[in-house]
């Protein structure tokens, strides 16, 4: 559940409690880490590029990889989560 779901949308910023403000700030500033290409995937998994290509082709990381033509973008956190779940 997101923090923004818990906070009344009609509240002014100055009406937030310190805890609500901290949670909102954490959610807004949360950064996502991305890697690019097969080389980036190999770096994430700590394997060779050929092994990274095989993992990508297997579909294990389907939701973590976005590909448009030759451009590949990998959500690092999601990729590691899906990879660890596939080993179970």
């Amino acid at each position: 559940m997101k923090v923004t779901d818990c906070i009344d949308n009609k509240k002014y910023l100055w009406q937030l409690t310190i805890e609500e403000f901290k949670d909102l700030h954490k959610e807004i500033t949360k950064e996502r880490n991305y890697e690019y290409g097969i080389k980036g995937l190999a770096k994430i998994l700590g394997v060779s590029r050929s092994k990274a290509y095989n993992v990508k082709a297997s579909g294990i990381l389907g939701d973590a990889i976005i590909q448009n033509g030759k451009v590949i973008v990998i959500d690092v956190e999601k990729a590691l989560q899906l990879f660890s779940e596939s080993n179970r």
Side-chain angles (χ1 to χ4, degrees):
M1 190 162 134
K2 290 185 176 181
V3 175
T4 54
D5 295 338
C6 298
I7 299 173
D8 182 16
N9 288 336
K10 298 189 188 238
K11 250 187 189 182
Y12 291 103
L13 186 60
W14 59 269
Q15 292 176 317
L16 296 177
T17 65
I18 292 173
E19 184 177 339
E20 289 173 333
F21 181 75
K22 282 182 178 180
D23 292 340
L24 184 63
H25 183 264
K26 281 181 192 174
E27 185 175 316
I28 291 171
T29 59
K30 186 165 98 174
E31 291 185 25
R32 299 206 128 213
N33 293 328
Y34 296 103
E35 283 290 337
Y36 304 93
I38 294 296
K39 196 182 251 186
L41 183 58
K43 179 179 164 187
I44 293 168
L45 301 177
V47 297
S48 67
R49 289 191 295 186
S50 62
K51 181 65 177 174
Y53 180 79
N54 291 338
V55 170
K56 179 191 170 297
S58 72
I60 293 170
L61 306 177
D63 292 337
I65 296 176
I66 301 168
Q67 184 169 358
N68 186 3
K70 292 183 179 182
V71 177
I72 300 172
V73 180
I74 303 125
D75 181 343
V76 174
E77 186 177 322
K78 200 171 199 180
L80 291 173
Q81 177 187 4
L82 290 172
F83 191 69
S84 69
E85 289 173 1
S86 72
N87 289 335
R88 291 183 187 167

